[in-house]
Amino acid sequence: MIRLDGKTVLVTGGATGFGTATATIARQLGAQVAIAGRRVDRGRDAAAALGPDVLFIPADVSQERDVARMLAAVQDRF
């Protein structure tokens, strides 16, 4: 099985469904994880459930400004 130790994974739509599942698997494989989504309440809950070092970024990927802010937050944190 592959390992993601030392890698950073950003999952858009990470607050629900397949996104949360993807983030969970990335964490299990050793990655640092950031999740992004439009629903702040669900995003914060999902990040908290994944672990204290998971970053949640409120963002709408259809908005260029949000995408730039999201990428900057990941770079700053990881």
Side-chain angles (χ1 to χ4, degrees):
M1 176 168 282
I2 65 166
R3 292 291 306 164
L4 297 175
D5 300 299
K7 304 290 183 183
T8 300
V9 174
L10 168 60
V11 181
T12 60
T16 60
F18 288 120
T20 301
T22 300
T24 299
I25 291 167
R27 290 262 305 141
Q28 291 170 346
L29 295 175
Q32 302 172 111
V33 174
I35 61 174
R38 293 178 295 166
R39 296 194 52 196
V40 175
D41 55 338
R42 294 193 79 172
R44 287 186 181 147
D45 290 346
L50 288 167
D53 56 338
V54 174
L55 174 64
F56 170 67
I57 307 151
D60 179 346
V61 297
S62 71
Q63 302 299 313
E64 188 174 341
R65 185 177 306 171
D66 281 6
V67 172
R69 187 177 45 74
M70 175 181 66
L71 295 175
V74 170
Q75 288 178 326
D76 288 345
R77 173 75 174 268
F78 301 113

